[in-house]
Amino acid sequence: MATSSRVNKNGAAPREMLNVKNPLTLEVIGQIPVTSPQEVEDAAERARFAQRAWAALTIQERAKLLQNWGDLLWERQEEAIKVIRRETGKPDSGAFLELLVVDSVITYYAQNAARILAPKSRKTQFPIIQTAKVYYKPRGVVGIISPWNYPFLLPFMDLIPAMIAGNTILLKPSEVTPFSAEYGVELMVEAGIPRDVIQVLHGDGRTGAAVVDHVDFVAFTGSTEVGRIVAKRCAERLIPYSMELGGKDASIVLADADLDMTATGLLRGAMENAGQVCISVERAYVEEAIYEPLVERICYYAAQMNVGPGDGMDVHMGSMTNTVELERTEAHIADAVAKGARVIVGGKRRPDLGPLFFEPTVLVDVDHSMDIMREETFGPVLPIMKVSSVDEAVRLANDSQYGLSASIFTRDLKRGEQIALRLDTGDVSINRTQMAVGTPSLPTGGQRASGVGRRNGPEGIIKYCSTQAILIDTMIGQKPELSLADPLTLNLVKTLRVVRRFLPFI
Ligand code: NAD
């Protein structure tokens, strides 16, 4: 991404523009105007005004509008896939996956939001005399700030529950990939969603910072470094936030794992989106009994990967999106090799396919002195480390500043679940990678440097609401009283204290 200035027709101050590039050619495919801080403020005001009417609709009415949008998207999927591919360089299957996940998130919240956000009765100090309920009210205007690696999936999977809960949205997509968000939002307007309910604001961190300054909640997805800056500003403004940040996800392979299913599973998990996934398999720990045959199978399947810029669902891996990630991938491989690692598959650029193509790469003889086992690589690399026991694998998997997602391969499903509980991550998938995040009923998200808060599941919509507790006292059996501890109240409290030992539901 680069910016340029364009003089307005009336000769007024030049308008800053984003130049968006196609990673397959590095040619500029379009320009989009940068939203100024004043325009962000104006958009926030419109969003705040629109929120009243939007929140006055029922959850079902809002969900129906989003389902209409989902249906339109499903009809236009070929067009949507083209938009996503043009600014990311990912293959058809990767772009389709973005649409598929968003569609399943719409279905989940359309079917469950009304139940999750229904007022909930709670116990009171004095049963019968008092009743109480918790209500879930929209926070107001929600800011969604998103990265470039899943330019459709990430913003929309986060804003669907926010909108269904009754919030209006300021969406700041990545400056690298603004057209996917722009496309999705224009389709929302076509589906009947009022324009000011969801507005897209373009630009780099300056636009993002202006959004943070004007909203009531921030759902940020991006790097840990920028997440910290955004969290600080949210703290200054005393507004809540969720942070979906970087990862260094581990996969643990037990000695009883199915060789072929594990080899293909690991390769899919490491190479999906050319490794540019927060929940990519960035390191694998394999029990020594299965290590040699598994590495052989991984080499076998890696050699069959179809990498290129072509169309069709049988292309397994496309281009990387940015030079920065490509260069970091090379630097991590070079650091590992200098410290004793061996590249057994790939390891090189593929300029014959396009300027940002990099081969699916497998490394062995790696250890935790290497950047590739400790820093987020964000490239198509699978480093594999032999371990002598499950305990060693768990210790190494947890030896990270990050704690986003993880996976375990084993035929012993019960044991796999027990081992999963020992991993310090927001989710774990067994015999699959990344699947928990693709399951909208499950809350997922990070710990430590991987973030704060959860997306999806009940947690992923409740975060967009402020709770209001309402207590009603019927005044039954009460007299006017100035003391806080009158004899009647004291007797009732003492009685209830004993009764609740035997009847805890009271
Ligand atoms: P980034 O942090 O550079 O940018 C993310 C977004 O923040 C962009 O829209 C950017 O313009 C905006 N931004 C930058 N500075 C800002 C500021 N001061 N205030 C407000 N907004 C600001 O990340 P990226 O390079 O676009 O994405 C890659 C990173 O995202 C990786 O670290 C990856 O792991 C992470 N990621 C995390 C998840 C997750 O769910 N945990 C998902 C995808 C990507």
Side-chain angles (χ1 to χ4, degrees), residues 37 40-41 44 48 141-146 170-172 201 204-221 226-243:
V40 173
E41 194 177 334
R48 212 162 279 292
V141 181
V142 167
I144 305 271
I145 301 177
S146 53
L170 296 187
L171 165 59
K172 211 302 277 173
L201 312 168
D204 57 20
R206 289 166 296 167
T207 312
V211 168
V212 177
D213 279 346
H214 293 289
V215 293
D216 305 307
F217 184 96
V218 176
F220 176 86
T221 307
V226 176
R228 282 203 173 98
I229 297 170
V230 173
K232 274 187 199 152
R233 182 63 189 138
C234 290
E236 272 166 12
R237 294 198 54 228
L238 287 177
I239 58 164
Y241 57 83
S242 57
M243 294 281 148

Side-chain angles (χ1 to χ4, degrees), residues 120 122 132-137 466-472:
K120 304 284 183 299
R122 296 280 174 96
K133 275 189 191 152
V134 175
Y135 288 82
Y136 297 93
K137 296 162 79 170
S466 48
T467 56
Q468 187 176 34
I470 297 187
L471 181 131
I472 298 173

Side-chain angles (χ1 to χ4, degrees), residues 209-451:
V211 168
V212 177
D213 279 346
H214 293 289
V215 293
D216 305 307
F217 184 96
V218 176
F220 176 86
T221 307
S223 62
T224 300
E225 190 189 354
V226 176
R228 282 203 173 98
I229 297 170
V230 173
K232 274 187 199 152
R233 182 63 189 138
C234 290
E236 272 166 12
R237 294 198 54 228
L238 287 177
I239 58 164
Y241 57 83
S242 57
M243 294 281 148
E244 300 284 347
L245 309 177
K248 188 73 196 171
D249 290 355
S251 189
I252 296 178
V253 183
L254 306 192
D256 69 345
D258 181 301
L259 279 178
D260 293 274
M261 294 296 283
T262 305
T264 50
L266 286 176
L267 283 169
R268 276 204 318 267
M271 308 306 167
E272 150 62 12
N273 206 26
Q276 305 161 118
V277 191
C278 53
I279 50 166
S280 187
V281 174
E282 290 237 342
R283 50 203 173 113
Y285 302 99
V286 182
E287 278 200 286
E288 55 190 348
I290 197 178
Y291 178 82
E292 295 294 342
L294 181 67
V295 168
E296 184 276 320
R297 289 281 87 189
I298 287 172
C299 293
Y300 169 79
Y301 285 112
Q304 296 177 36
M305 283 191 71
N306 182 5
V307 182
D311 300 335
M313 292 293 181
D314 59 343
V315 177
H316 300 127
M317 201 181 96
S319 173
M320 295 186 74
T321 305
N322 301 307
T323 313
V324 178
E325 277 70 32
L326 176 59
E327 287 173 352
R328 186 170 57 233
T329 300
E330 287 179 320
H332 279 191
I333 294 171
D335 171 76
V337 169
K339 291 171 179 162
R342 276 186 304 130
V343 177
I344 56 168
V345 174
K348 295 189 298 296
R349 291 188 191 211
R350 287 291 303 271
D352 53 318
L353 298 175
L356 301 180
F357 273 87
F358 197 82
E359 292 174 326
T361 297
V362 180
L363 290 179
V364 292
D365 299 341
V366 290
D367 62 44
H368 276 219
S369 70
M370 302 168 183
D371 291 346
I372 205 135
M373 298 301 276
R374 304 190 67 82
E375 307 292 328
E376 187 177 48
T377 305
F378 232 56
V381 188
L382 175 62
I384 308 173
M385 185 168 173
K386 192 195 309 185
V387 291
S388 58
S389 66
V390 170
D391 286 347
E392 187 187 3
V394 169
R395 182 179 59 74
L396 289 167
N398 286 336
D399 177 23
S400 173
Q401 60 170 318
Y402 296 108
L404 194 54
S405 182
S407 53
I408 297 172
F409 286 86
T410 175
R411 284 195 171 89
D412 186 341
L413 306 184
K414 265 269 155 279
R415 185 162 175 244
E417 203 172 332
Q418 292 305 318
I419 295 167
L421 284 168
R422 295 168 61 194
L423 298 177
D424 296 334
T425 58
D427 66 79
V428 183
S429 296
I430 294 171
N431 292 329
R432 273 273 188 168
T433 64
Q434 304 165 349
M435 197 62 212
V437 176
T439 305
S441 62
L442 291 177
T444 56
Q447 324 209 140
R448 302 194 293 274
S450 289

Side-chain angles (χ1 to χ4, degrees), residues 108-109 116 439-443 455-462:
Y108 171 75
Y109 283 114
I116 297 167
T439 305
S441 62
L442 291 177
R455 64 158 56 104
N456 283 347
E459 295 81 352
I461 190 163
I462 287 173

Side-chain angles (χ1 to χ4, degrees), residues 122-124 127 496 499-506:
R122 296 280 174 96
K123 286 202 290 185
T124 57
L496 281 169
V499 170
R500 280 185 169 136
R501 289 284 154 93
F502 302 100
L503 303 172
F505 50 87
I506 285 184

